[in-house]
Amino acid sequence: MVVIKKTFKKIAYAVLCALGVGTLTSCYGMPNGMPYGSPYTVYGTVTSDGTTGIEGIEVTITYGSKTQTSKTSKDGSYYFSYIFDSDDLISGIECTLNFKDVDGETNGSFSDKEAVFTFHEDDYEIEKNVILDSSSLKK
């Protein structure tokens, strides 16, 4: 059923684009969910106490044999978009987020942390916030 639904969405999208309706669908999306090729995103904030963001933490997302890496911004936020194709999500994908302090003492010194979760077909975005409190500080 899922394969038929995805195939129908792909065909409908192609027909609408061929008829010149692509501009409308790009602004408003396909009916009944996200259009094929839409970004699947994982985002969040890394903080030291639940409110103060930590800049410079390396965040790596791993799913299957694929990996992407980013660093947290000044407010501690990170963002991954287009992390996999929608066809990968038929049965869900287990993802691992690794958080690593790579800037030394510049923004404080924190222990590594890992978060594991499953991304399902209808999860177009997932927010994963991480707190590195004083008990996570390197001694």
Side-chain angles (χ1 to χ4, degrees), residues 3-122:
V3 174
I4 293 170
K5 185 178 175 183
K6 286 185 178 210
T7 303
F8 176 76
K9 284 184 177 181
K10 290 178 188 177
I11 292 170
Y13 185 75
V15 169
L16 289 173
C17 286
L19 294 174
V21 186
T23 303
L24 294 174
T25 59
S26 67
C27 293
Y28 301 106
M30 289 290 285
N32 300 321
M34 299 280 280
Y36 178 73
S38 294
Y40 289 91
T41 59
V42 175
Y43 64 95
T45 305
V46 180
T47 61
S48 60
D49 58 8
T51 58
T52 307
I54 305 171
E55 180 180 7
I57 299 294
E58 182 180 83
V59 184
T60 302
I61 186 168
T62 305
Y63 44 96
S65 62
K66 300 176 185 176
T67 300
Q68 290 185 34
T69 302
S70 182
K71 281 191 180 176
T72 56
S73 62
K74 190 170 186 137
D75 65 355
S77 62
Y78 67 92
Y79 183 85
F80 295 100
S81 184
Y82 291 96
I83 57 175
F84 32 69
D85 297 326
S86 59
D87 292 339
D88 293 338
L89 293 174
I90 291 173
S91 61
I93 294 178
E94 185 174 285
C95 299
T96 303
L97 283 169
N98 288 294
F99 302 87
K100 184 175 183 175
D101 184 358
V102 294
D103 67 0
E105 296 291 326
T106 304
N107 294 299
S109 185
F110 300 92
S111 296
D112 299 346
K113 192 161 188 172
E114 179 179 275
V116 179
F117 63 96
T118 302
F119 214 118
H120 295 284
E121 180 181 5
D122 294 330

